[in-house]
Amino acid sequence: MPKPSADNAKTANARYIEADEAYFDGEFEKAESLYTQAITADSTVALYFMKRSQTRLQLGNKADAATDALTAATLTEAKSSMLRQHFKALVTHGRLAAELSNYDEAAESLRKAYIINPSHEEVCELLAKVEPLTTPKPEPVVEEEEEEEEVEVRPARPSARHEWYQNDEYVILEMFIKRVQKDAATVEFSDQGVSLSVKMATGSDNNYEFEPLMHAIVPKESTYEIMSTKIEIRMKKANVGVKWDCLEQLEAQRLAKAAGKASLSSSRQGVSWDTIAANAEKETKLKPGEQSVNQLFQSIYKDADEETRRAMMKSYIESNGTALSTDWKTVSKGPVETTPPVDTYAKSY
């Protein structure tokens, strides 16, 4: 798709900013019109389509919202820097297509999302619902049998959300399991794997195996820490400086076997700081430093004027939770980029 001229890109960004303001003010019809003007000026920006999809959903136009989400998924395909946006667009389209009874379309998007994150709870639930409702495909006529490369199949891990990221020396795996006692979890490292065993409050043992890993690690220099809301596992790379494209070799096999290269992305839904503040109170007691930061965020948002709140919402949503700004003049100039911690790479599961 050809790039727009500089003037068109500037016009599109101006309409996008105005559309965001209208959306945050609850003027959804005006916001839809402005997002459409932005897309007319520059139809290469996936974020414009995702925002219009969200707006059309508010207006009850589910069919067009699904179309916009699918367009966003197409625009972000094969762009590794937009993994989160593409994943979000696929899930959004799959959900809306399923609600519209377009089960074949829904299944196609959800299958792609599943390749990216096979442990994502909503994707698994939706896929299980729509797969039996899809149109059966005729069996292909095979003239000559060919040996297919076998991909390892192993029992599913117990359900637990996890994320990982990396720097030059370490791969950090975060298992989001709350309120685990210090003596209730053990981690074992090998050259090509890591295993976590957690004694649950019910008395059962949950075992999580990540093996074989994408590359070798140094067990003696790998560590773990049990926190109030997660277990952080730090694996020392055997080959310092080598970037891991996947956490496990099995995941790499799935991606290689999938049709096309799944370089996918998604965008984050809107976040309410009032909700974050309420949820924070329900979490396990935080460390003193964490408490002060949460209290600071809550205090800023509670006492802020409308522009400051709008800046906080826009910067947090568009940066995928990696940036928070109170300066509306700066934030209003365009989309806020994702900025992961120094020496790390953004990764989504």
Side-chain angles (χ1 to χ4, degrees):
M1 184 177 293
K3 291 185 178 180
S5 66
D7 288 341
N8 281 355
K10 185 176 180 180
T11 299
N13 185 59
R15 298 293 84 76
Y16 166 76
I17 292 171
E18 294 172 5
D20 264 2
E21 292 179 0
Y23 183 89
F24 286 124
D25 289 339
E27 299 177 6
F28 299 123
E29 291 183 356
K30 179 180 178 181
E32 182 189 22
S33 175
L34 289 167
Y35 284 132
T36 299
Q37 293 176 42
I39 291 169
T40 300
D42 183 359
S43 60
T44 66
V45 181
L47 183 59
Y48 297 167
F49 286 94
M50 281 303 295
K51 286 299 187 70
R52 190 172 69 173
S53 173
Q54 184 178 353
T55 305
R56 285 176 164 176
L57 196 57
Q58 292 285 351
L59 293 170
N61 189 351
K62 195 173 295 184
D64 286 342
T67 300
D68 278 347
L70 182 58
T71 302
T74 302
L75 288 171
T76 51
E77 194 168 10
K79 294 181 180 179
S80 58
S81 63
M82 305 185 78
L83 181 64
R84 296 176 68 90
Q85 280 195 31
H86 188 69
F87 180 76
K88 176 61 181 177
L90 287 172
V91 177
T92 300
H93 176 255
R95 182 194 313 115
L96 294 177
E99 292 174 2
L100 292 166
S101 300
N102 297 329
Y103 301 119
D104 290 344
E105 290 185 13
E108 183 176 356
S109 290
L110 292 170
R111 289 181 194 127
K112 292 178 180 179
Y114 181 82
I115 291 171
I116 307 168
N117 185 1
S119 63
H120 192 278
E121 186 175 345
E122 182 183 10
V123 171
C124 293
E125 290 180 356
L126 286 171
L127 200 53
K129 291 179 180 178
V130 303
E131 283 283 19
L133 301 173
T134 57
T135 304
K137 294 183 178 180
E139 293 292 333
V141 177
V142 181
E143 296 180 358
E144 184 178 349
E145 292 187 0
E146 296 182 0
E147 291 186 3
E148 293 186 0
E149 180 183 353
E150 292 187 2
V151 176
E152 177 188 355
V153 178
R154 66 186 180 196
R157 282 189 286 259
S159 176
R161 185 169 70 90
H162 66 277
E163 296 178 356
W164 72 277
Y165 57 95
Q166 62 182 305
N167 54 35
D168 285 343
E169 295 186 4
Y170 288 91
V171 171
I172 298 92
L173 171 63
E174 296 181 332
M175 301 293 298
F176 293 93
I177 309 173
K178 299 180 181 179
R179 293 179 283 277
V180 175
Q181 299 299 317
K182 298 290 184 180
D183 58 350
T186 57
V187 177
E188 295 182 359
F189 300 97
S190 64
D191 292 342
Q192 283 287 342
V194 60
S195 63
L196 166 65
S197 179
V198 179
K199 188 78 171 180
M200 307 303 291
T202 58
S204 62
D205 290 323
N206 279 3
N207 299 308
Y208 305 87
E209 302 284 343
F210 296 88
E211 187 177 10
L213 295 169
M214 191 65 192
H215 298 288
I217 63 172
V218 183
K220 291 183 179 180
E221 297 182 43
S222 300
T223 61
Y224 68 95
E225 182 180 0
I226 301 174
M227 305 179 188
S228 61
T229 58
K230 66 183 179 182
I231 299 173
E232 182 178 281
I233 302 171
R234 298 178 63 85
M235 295 171 281
K236 179 64 179 292
K237 293 180 178 180
N239 298 314
V240 175
V242 174
K243 181 181 176 181
W244 292 24
D245 293 325
C246 300
L247 180 62
E248 299 176 89
Q249 292 182 23
L250 179 59
E251 179 189 358
Q253 292 173 14
R254 287 197 187 106
L255 292 173
K257 195 174 179 64
K261 294 183 179 179
S263 298
L264 316 170
S265 77
S266 83
S267 61
R268 185 184 294 268
Q269 288 183 338
V271 175
S272 166
W273 281 98
D274 292 327
T275 302
I276 291 177
N279 290 341
E281 296 178 357
K282 300 178 182 179
E283 296 288 341
T284 304
K285 187 176 181 181
L286 300 173
K287 298 177 181 177
E290 294 173 331
Q291 288 179 332
S292 62
V293 172
N294 275 270
Q295 290 170 357
L296 175 61
F297 287 169
Q298 296 171 32
S299 175
I300 293 173
Y301 188 79
K302 178 180 178 182
D303 300 328
D305 57 27
E306 187 61 30
E307 283 198 352
T308 300
R309 289 191 175 195
R310 188 175 298 164
M312 293 176 71
M313 291 284 285
K314 185 173 185 292
S315 61
Y316 187 87
I317 293 168
E318 295 180 355
S319 71
N320 295 310
T322 62
L324 178 68
S325 174
T326 58
D327 184 2
W328 176 245
K329 290 183 179 179
T330 300
V331 172
S332 65
K333 293 180 179 179
V336 181
E337 296 182 356
T338 298
T339 54
V342 178
D343 295 331
T344 64
Y345 308 94
K347 208 74 176 176
S348 171
Y349 280 87

